[in-house]
Amino acid sequence: MSVRVATDIGGTFTDLVLVDEATGELRIAKASTTPGQLAQGVLDALAKGEVDLADTRELVHGTTVVINALTERRGARTALVTTRGFRDVLELTRGNRPDMYNLLSRKPEPFVPRRHRFEVRERVDRHGSVLVPLALADLDPIVEACQRDGIEAVAVCFLHAYAHPEHERACAEELRRRLPGVAVSASSEITREWREYERTSTTVLNAFVQPTVDRYLESLEARLGDGGLAGPVQIMQSNAGTASPTAARARPIALVESGPAGGIVGAARLGERIGEPDILYLDIGGTTAKCSLIQGGNPSTTTEYRIDWRPDHAGYPVMVPVVDIVEIGAGGGSIAWIDAGGAIKVGPRSAGAVPGPACYGQGGVDPTVTDAKLAAGVLDPGYFLGGQLEVDRGLSIAALERLGRELGLDAPEVANGIIRLVNANMISALKLVSVRRGHDPRDFVLVAAGGGGPMHAAALAQELQVRRLVVPPYSGVFSAWGMCTTDPRVDVVQTRILRVDASSDEEVTALFAALEQEAAAQFRSDGLADGELVCRRSVHMRYRGQEHTVAVAAPAGAVSLAALEAGFHAEHRRAYTFDLLDTPVELVTFQVAASLRRDRVEAAPPRTGAGTPSPKGRRPVDFDVDGVHDTPVYARDDLPLGFAAAGPLVIEESTTTTLVHPGQELHVDAFGNLVIELAPAR
């Protein structure tokens, strides 16, 4: 037997999916995430899934190590080496701040204090011409300071290194020679886009997490090897593809959204199956809710991602391709609380895996979204996580009552208020990836995943008036399922500003060809050769004088600048509702997303029932404005293909619960998906 395995570390649980390559049979497992020892959670999931590592052809791993290290600021003691005059770029950041009218606003604290930011003499211009040669002698006092202060990682970021990386490379090589054991990151090895602050931030964050990721992956590989793993380990990247552990160690910042990216890939693959290329994806876990938009079957990526961004906090830019995702602190473990003004809030603080929601009985006393769903009757305390985890509904109600006394509300009212608030937060997030990007949600299908997604999605879909709602099989481990379908991927990005009317088709075609050759070379250096190299090209374009750009797809082979320009005008109209047809157009940044397409293992349809299924039981469920209904409860495994029923309904499976509201219609399609048709708009 040869199997492919994926493991995904979440804030509360570590998920596992195993696919038998011969039969397509799929096996799943969940284990509690083990903070501080994340590799142990992976091994626990492998044990629960009864995985024989000797039969495993490949193991794909999604990890939260990077995002945890950054949000908790638990990384390496880091220094920055930059061009003379630019040591304060991290401090200056950008003039535009999210809360521009807040006179008490403070800029994000840099990850590198000023005493560890060093300068060397060198200078190139934006075209890559050398103005001041690199003075390697300036490194002497820098090396001494790094040794004296116990520096563990160094970021090297020179002005305009995207156009002329030679100075950076020479500096990085010298630092690696003179500071053995210290991780050195050069910006030109991570991103070749312009914008000094964003590029410097990305390089610093890469250096900050590099020793942590290196130790983690070394430990994980060793423990898997000791367990007899036969095949290679692939690491899930934020760009919706995988990379070798060697590549992941060199560029760990590319793993910042490692886990959620797997779910977005899974949603795209699901869309291929059901003939729906345009998808709104929602994943609600224990700690966060993630939203993304897929158009034309391809997940969108962006290099404008920010860590720790909030409406009142600018966060830290990460200029590597990341799936275009909006993530909010709204999950099953999100805690309900009262602010200084007496208003109830939900999240972003989470009860996590320990102590967990109040119903866990592990010391948590604050009510969470899970407690609200349990009190509302959506969740069965006797079948939580398929019966693997014992929960106490009485503890949930007690926690809700404590909060309710401060608000003058009873437990059911507090539970509905919590659910309403968290749903409103999720609606806002879904609109950020759709309406705010110029897309109408009514043109999309909503795919719900995660342990909490199917519980909330019917209400959200009704509010957004999407075409339909789809809950895939194994949705509670959907990110891990998506990882099983991924291919190795390399993104090569290069800023080179060209005016359309002063360039040639041949020049642009040659530039794209060079980037594709670079991507192919990267696969070869990682020891990956099997598979078809598939490249998707795009170029970020703007009107001359503009600051922002718009991404435009470019064809394979010969490029027509006239066609690119026409495509840019159309994309600009869609995004901003206007164009400037008489204004010169510029090409700014070129990107090639290269995937090594391999034979995909199609998972067999899930086991389903036959005949006319009977409910496994009934219970009162509070549907808020739709009232309390005595609701039939079905086991998902009992529902045959083609099954249809009208809401209200509860569909239970081991990893999640699907809620169908009154007035909505459910049917099971040919692939075992739960498809919910919405009630007519009121």
Side-chain angles (χ1 to χ4, degrees):
M1 182 167 112
S2 177
V3 300
R4 195 176 195 207
V5 176
T7 57
D8 173 37
I9 299 176
T12 307
F13 295 106
T14 295
D15 300 339
L16 177 140
V17 169
L18 175 151
V19 180
D20 187 319
E21 295 189 304
T23 65
E25 179 188 353
L26 192 143
R27 189 188 310 163
I28 67 172
K30 270 183 179 284
S32 291
T33 293
T34 48
Q37 295 182 332
L38 294 178
Q40 185 58 51
V42 174
L43 296 174
D44 292 345
L46 290 167
K48 280 195 171 185
E50 300 179 349
V51 177
D52 186 346
L53 290 174
D55 289 335
T56 302
R57 187 179 67 83
E58 182 177 77
L59 189 147
V60 183
H61 179 54
T63 177
T64 55
V65 168
V66 172
I67 192 68
N68 288 351
L70 293 173
T71 55
E72 297 169 9
R73 297 183 81 99
R74 294 183 180 179
R77 185 187 292 264
T78 304
L80 170 66
V81 177
T82 189
T83 304
R84 174 171 285 186
F86 287 85
R87 70 185 291 198
D88 291 322
V89 163
L90 283 182
E91 203 92 42
L92 295 171
T93 68
R94 288 284 173 191
N96 55 331
R97 59 179 188 254
D99 54 345
M100 61 184 298
Y101 298 111
N102 180 0
L103 299 180
L104 301 178
S105 175
R106 293 291 181 268
K107 291 188 175 183
E109 181 184 351
F111 274 73
V112 180
R114 197 170 195 270
R115 67 182 181 276
H116 292 151
R117 302 199 295 260
F118 307 106
E119 299 176 342
V120 298
R121 287 169 292 167
E122 74 86 38
R123 192 66 177 259
V124 300
D125 65 17
R126 64 190 179 92
H127 303 293
S129 301
V130 176
L131 304 178
V132 177
L134 173 65
L136 282 176
D138 290 355
L139 291 178
D140 293 344
I142 295 173
V143 169
E144 291 176 8
C146 289
Q147 292 171 332
R148 181 185 65 244
D149 294 346
I151 294 297
E152 301 167 290
V154 178
V156 181
C157 191
F158 290 161
L159 188 66
H160 300 309
Y162 60 87
H164 181 91
E166 285 76 9
H167 284 184
E168 268 194 4
R169 290 172 183 164
C171 180
E173 288 174 9
E174 184 69 6
L175 287 170
R176 287 169 181 142
R177 184 182 69 81
R178 299 179 64 178
L179 292 172
V182 173
V184 178
S185 298
S187 76
S188 53
E189 298 169 351
I190 301 164
T191 176
R192 296 206 303 268
E193 281 196 70
W194 67 341
R195 304 190 189 283
E196 292 312 305
Y197 167 56
E198 287 80 0
R199 193 158 50 85
T200 304
S201 171
T202 303
T203 310
V204 164
L205 296 179
N206 191 83
F208 182 78
V209 300
Q210 197 165 25
T212 300
V213 172
D214 187 64
R215 289 191 296 269
Y216 171 72
L217 291 180
E218 183 179 14
S219 169
L220 180 66
E221 285 187 284
R223 297 185 73 173
L224 292 172
D226 292 343
L229 179 64
V233 176
Q234 286 284 299
I235 309 300
M236 189 70 205
Q237 300 182 100
S238 306
N239 63 2
T242 61
S244 68
T246 300
R249 286 190 178 95
R251 207 163 171 253
I253 195 62
L255 313 182
V256 66
E257 287 288 2
S258 173
I264 294 168
V265 173
R269 299 286 181 265
L270 176 68
E272 290 177 8
R273 280 188 175 188
I274 64 176
E276 293 285 1
D278 299 328
I279 285 172
L280 262 175
Y281 174 65
L282 172 68
D283 178 349
I284 304 175
T287 308
T288 60
K290 281 82 67 175
C291 310
S292 190
L293 183 138
I294 298 164
Q295 192 170 31
N298 293 313
S300 300
T301 60
T302 179
T303 57
E304 296 179 356
Y305 178 85
R306 285 178 177 263
I307 297 288
D308 199 24
W309 181 92
R310 301 188 301 273
D312 61 345
H313 189 261
Y316 304 90
V318 174
M319 193 181 270
V320 295
V322 177
V323 286
D324 197 357
I325 189 170
V326 169
E327 186 168 357
I328 60 172
S334 294
I335 292 171
W337 54 284
I338 299 174
D339 69 9
I344 186 170
K345 305 285 186 181
V346 181
R349 193 161 57 96
S350 174
V354 179
C359 62
Y360 281 19
Q362 297 178 163
V365 295
D366 296 316
T368 67
V369 175
T370 294
D371 292 307
K373 285 291 188 180
L374 192 60
V378 176
L379 294 171
D380 179 357
Y383 193 69
F384 194 84
L385 198 59
Q388 296 181 54
L389 186 61
E390 185 176 340
V391 295
D392 187 335
R393 186 170 182 266
L395 292 176
S396 293
I397 292 174
L400 293 165
E401 287 175 341
R402 278 193 296 272
L403 187 66
R405 281 194 288 270
E406 299 184 54
L407 299 166
L409 302 172
D410 60 23
E413 290 173 320
V414 175
N416 280 330
I418 290 172
I419 294 167
R420 258 182 249 161
L421 279 171
V422 78
N423 282 353
N425 292 339
M426 293 171 189
I427 287 286
S428 297
L430 286 163
K431 286 182 177 178
L432 280 174
V433 298
S434 57
V435 177
R436 291 281 293 273
R437 310 279 171 86
H439 301 285
D440 188 338
R442 292 172 296 185
D443 296 333
F444 291 79
V445 168
L446 180 64
V447 171
M455 283 191 291
H456 295 266
L460 304 179
Q462 193 72 53
E463 176 75 16
L464 291 168
Q465 285 297 297
V466 295
R467 285 190 281 121
R468 64 181 59 87
L469 166 64
V470 178
V471 180
Y474 317 111
S475 58
V477 293
F478 193 67
S479 287
W481 181 84
M483 291 175 195
C484 277
T485 71
T486 54
D487 298 314
R489 172 167 163 167
V490 170
D491 283 87
V492 186
V493 184
Q494 176 71 62
T495 291
R496 185 173 172 187
I497 302 175
L498 303 171
R499 271 184 61 155
V500 169
D501 58 7
S503 304
S504 68
D505 294 350
E506 292 75 19
E507 181 181 11
V508 175
T509 299
L511 203 160
F512 273 121
L515 296 181
E516 290 175 350
Q517 291 169 8
E518 188 175 337
Q522 179 64 55
F523 283 128
R524 289 193 296 271
S525 69
D526 286 344
L528 299 172
D530 296 334
E532 175 193 2
L533 184 64
V534 178
C535 295
R536 284 193 294 116
R537 300 170 168 183
S538 61
V539 58
H540 290 254
M541 304 174 67
R542 66 181 184 184
Y543 293 113
R544 186 167 178 80
Q546 277 185 330
E547 164 67 10
H548 61 265
T549 61
V550 173
V552 179
V559 176
S560 164
L561 283 171
L564 284 181
E565 186 174 18
F568 166 69
H569 290 309
E571 280 297 308
H572 199 279
R573 280 194 302 273
R574 185 195 60 76
Y576 300 107
T577 73
F578 72 95
D579 54 40
L580 302 170
L581 297 178
D582 297 328
T583 303
V585 174
E586 292 179 329
L587 308 165
V588 178
T589 299
F590 297 79
Q591 180 173 354
V592 167
S595 298
L596 204 60
R597 190 69 54 81
R598 301 173 299 178
D599 292 336
R600 288 182 185 152
V601 180
E602 289 293 337
R607 291 191 300 272
T608 58
T612 303
S614 299
K616 60 186 287 189
R618 304 181 74 92
R619 62 173 177 264
V621 177
D622 191 340
F623 288 89
D624 195 6
V625 295
D626 290 324
V628 177
H629 294 264
D630 183 39
T631 305
V633 180
Y634 288 89
R636 183 165 183 170
D637 289 348
D638 291 344
L639 303 183
L641 302 182
F643 172 80
L649 297 167
V650 171
I651 314 297
E652 290 184 339
E653 53 189 301
S654 62
T655 60
T656 190
T657 297
T658 301
L659 196 61
V660 184
H661 284 241
Q664 297 177 341
E665 299 283 340
L666 167 78
H667 75 269
V668 181
D669 72 8
F671 301 99
N673 300 300
L674 302 181
V675 180
I676 299 172
E677 304 290 344
L678 308 182
R682 297 173 187 173

